[in-house]
Amino acid sequence: MNSVNRALLQTKVLIKFSEHPSSADANIVLLIAQFFNRVQKRGARRMLKSKMWQLTAILMLISDWSQCIKSQEITVDPPENIGIDDPGHLGPLYIYWTAPTSLTNLTACSMRYHLEYFNTYQSRWTVIRTVRTWYRAQFDLEKEVRVRISTLLKGACTNGTELKSPFTEMVLPPNNTGPVGSRVQGFGCVFYQKEFMECTWETSLEEPTPSQYSLYYWHREMEQAEECPQYIHSNGVRTGCKFTEESLPEFSDFNICINSSSPKVVLRSAFFSLQIQNYVKPAAIETVHLEASPDRRLQVQWDLPNERIPRHCLEYEVEAREEGVGGQLLLQRNVTNEMTLTSLSMDGAQRKCFRVRSRMHHYCADRGFWSDWSRWSCHSDTESDAVVGSAVIIGIIISVLILSLFGWALWRTWKAREGERMPFGPLHKLMEYSKELSAHSNFNKTRENQ
């Protein structure tokens, strides 16, 4: 079989199969029979052996194309009855849907769903793939909710190819009633020493009087949202809320809604979602210790206050202030994870002061507030000179004592050796003669007195 006949045979196979995709098996058998008839008529058994790979390739092509056409006959419809339910948790919403009716009786393939929703906190689409017919997600209820879902089908009915349906979409507009300027302003929270949290706000510019603010909150350990346990007042108006540590779970969405009521107009609600470990403010460091060394370096140490924040969750910023001869000020800052810092030499500085503050380390929180600064702790250059001078004086005294003892020991040794060698030496005789003269003089005085 030459190349022309081979190409013709392959072309006929594709044409026949494309015209009658439902009779694929019959076409394959017919093509095989025709091929063997041609081979037998020419009496070329050797050619049959050499051309068997061509027949195999043709059969594999026909088989794959048959499966592709069969899979393309299946239509994948998108999910149905999509809906969004608000359980009253001030942010989390339940998205639900049902499987397409056209695929409910399909057993040869598995079905799952491709869900996308617009995350307004990160300004991007979040993609979820699930076999369930519902999903729970966090939303900013002050903005529209945008959701789209499609069906994914894969299995024997698609020859292992995953088919995707078009999207079915749903947009839920926000319930922003009331004037835009009636929303509270300047909202912020601080979690003090992990003991209690205060959230405060400012009254809106277009708020009619009289009106009263109310705060509601929810987290994962609560069944339903509750009102603020302890309001903070300013001039008789609610301007904040205080939470105790027992109601503050970390690493969880803490949802807040602030609304206000007025007999004249409906005011706009404000929604917030935060994780409280990112709002911790440690207590101020109370004591900073300075220790000078003889090489004119200062070691700075500090003590932590008694609080619930673990030590490994804190980092520190040390600020140094140097005062030179002319009164100039030079500020330096260093951030460290240790509770001690060795300062550079004090050469040229008459006075050096330090203060320290702390905040949550990124291993324990994404961010946090710096604590208040500690009080300044200072060390004068004269103090360093006094320390160095005292050390020098003490060293001199010790050296003199050592030398004196060493000299005294040598003198004793020398005296002992001199006494052994010359017991009647000139010096010894002179001392004996002086003693005799003193005795004779005392005797004469005694006689004269008598």
Side-chain angles (χ1 to χ4, degrees):
M1 181 183 298
N2 55 30
S3 60
V4 177
N5 292 332
R6 183 169 66 250
L8 180 61
L9 176 60
Q10 294 175 357
T11 304
K12 288 182 179 180
V13 168
L14 296 178
I15 293 175
K16 286 178 174 291
F17 193 79
S18 62
E19 292 177 351
H20 306 284
S22 60
S23 58
D25 296 336
N27 287 335
I28 293 173
V29 173
L30 179 61
L31 290 173
I32 294 174
Q34 290 177 355
F35 181 83
F36 278 100
N37 287 336
R38 290 185 181 182
V39 171
Q40 290 177 358
K41 288 180 180 180
R42 296 188 180 186
R45 293 183 179 179
R46 186 171 56 185
M47 183 183 67
L48 176 62
K49 294 181 180 180
S50 63
K51 301 299 182 180
M52 281 299 293
W53 66 271
Q54 296 182 2
L55 177 60
T56 303
I58 293 173
L59 293 177
M60 291 175 63
L61 177 62
I62 294 173
S63 177
D64 292 342
W65 194 20
S66 172
Q67 295 296 334
C68 179
I69 292 179
K70 288 182 180 180
S71 64
Q72 290 179 354
E73 292 177 350
I74 299 177
T75 301
V76 182
D77 294 324
E80 302 173 356
N81 303 319
I82 181 173
I84 299 176
D85 184 29
D86 186 359
H89 296 165
L90 311 180
L93 300 178
Y94 285 95
I95 308 167
Y96 58 89
W97 61 90
T98 60
T101 306
S102 59
L103 302 177
T104 53
N105 296 326
L106 189 64
T107 58
C109 278
S110 61
M111 185 166 47
R112 58 178 181 162
Y113 305 96
H114 179 98
L115 168 67
E116 297 182 3
Y117 66 91
F118 190 76
N119 190 328
T120 55
Y121 299 105
Q122 302 178 359
S123 298
R124 64 178 180 86
W125 287 91
T126 300
V127 178
I128 302 295
R129 292 195 172 186
T130 178
V131 297
R132 298 179 299 184
T133 57
W134 63 272
Y135 187 78
R136 178 179 177 271
Q138 176 82 14
F139 292 92
D140 184 355
L141 300 185
E142 293 188 63
K143 301 177 182 179
E144 67 177 9
V145 177
R146 301 168 59 187
V147 176
R148 55 193 185 194
I149 313 175
S150 65
T151 306
L152 300 176
L153 194 65
K154 184 178 181 181
C157 64
T158 63
N159 191 29
T161 303
E162 188 171 62
L163 301 181
K164 184 178 180 180
S165 74
F167 277 112
T168 178
E169 299 185 9
M170 184 174 185
V171 178
L172 185 66
N175 186 18
N176 287 338
T177 58
V180 177
S182 63
R183 183 183 182 273
V184 295
Q185 305 294 322
F187 177 81
C189 297
V190 181
F191 191 11
Y192 293 97
Q193 299 96 51
K194 282 194 173 184
E195 296 178 358
F196 64 95
M197 183 172 71
E198 290 185 354
C199 296
T200 58
W201 58 84
E202 299 174 359
T203 58
S204 62
L205 300 177
E206 300 183 8
E207 177 192 3
T209 55
S211 61
Q212 186 66 276
Y213 286 100
S214 298
L215 182 145
Y216 296 88
Y217 70 101
W218 179 89
H219 54 76
R220 64 187 178 187
E221 299 178 2
M222 302 172 59
E223 294 183 0
Q224 294 295 330
E226 297 180 4
E227 192 173 359
C228 168
Q230 182 180 350
Y231 282 108
I232 301 173
H233 295 82
S234 176
N235 297 325
V237 179
R238 293 174 179 174
T239 57
C241 178
K242 183 176 181 179
F243 301 90
T244 59
E245 191 275 335
E246 289 76 12
S247 62
L248 300 173
E250 297 185 27
F251 301 98
S252 175
D253 291 330
F254 192 88
N255 300 326
I256 294 175
C257 173
I258 302 177
N259 56 30
S260 56
S261 59
S262 174
K264 297 181 179 180
V265 66
V266 178
L267 303 181
R268 179 167 295 200
S269 300
F271 293 88
F272 307 93
S273 182
L274 51 92
Q275 293 197 355
I276 63 171
Q277 75 275 1
N278 297 325
Y279 295 84
V280 174
K281 182 176 181 178
I285 294 174
E286 298 177 356
T287 307
V288 178
H289 306 279
L290 302 179
E291 183 177 352
S293 60
D295 60 353
R296 301 178 64 85
R297 302 175 75 89
L298 287 176
Q299 187 173 20
V300 188
Q301 295 179 334
W302 51 91
D303 300 327
L304 289 181
N306 186 15
E307 58 185 0
R308 299 183 180 181
I309 303 176
R311 177 178 174 180
H312 69 274
C313 286
L314 291 175
E315 63 179 356
Y316 311 94
E317 184 177 34
V318 183
E319 185 176 76
R321 184 181 68 188
E322 294 183 3
E323 299 178 4
V325 177
Q328 301 92 348
L329 293 180
L330 176 63
L331 295 179
Q332 297 177 347
R333 287 187 177 182
N334 295 280
V335 177
T336 177
N337 296 331
E338 304 295 332
M339 293 183 60
T340 180
L341 180 69
T342 300
S343 176
L344 298 177
S345 173
M346 288 188 61
D347 291 339
Q350 290 184 329
R351 182 179 173 87
K352 199 164 188 177
C353 301
F354 299 86
R355 63 178 183 176
V356 186
R357 64 179 181 177
S358 63
R359 72 174 176 185
M360 291 283 286
H361 195 272
H362 66 271
Y363 292 140
C364 298
D366 295 332
R367 59 183 182 273
F369 296 107
W370 283 108
S371 70
D372 295 333
W373 286 103
S374 67
R375 294 181 179 179
W376 286 102
S377 182
C378 300
H379 190 278
S380 300
D381 191 35
T382 55
E383 297 176 5
S384 298
D385 292 340
V387 172
V388 175
S390 300
V392 172
I393 293 173
I394 293 173
I396 293 174
I397 294 174
I398 293 175
S399 300
V400 170
L401 290 175
I402 293 174
L403 291 174
S404 300
L405 292 174
F406 183 71
W408 180 80
L410 289 177
W411 183 80
R412 293 280 296 178
T413 304
W414 177 78
K415 288 291 292 180
R417 290 180 179 178
E418 288 296 325
E420 293 177 358
R421 291 180 183 180
M422 297 180 297
F424 300 102
L427 181 62
H428 180 72
K429 291 181 177 180
L430 181 61
M431 294 176 65
E432 291 292 334
Y433 180 71
S434 299
K435 290 180 180 179
E436 291 177 359
L437 290 176
S438 298
H440 181 72
S441 175
N442 291 333
F443 176 76
N444 293 332
K445 290 180 179 181
T446 304
R447 292 184 62 183
E448 291 178 356
N449 293 331
Q450 291 177 354

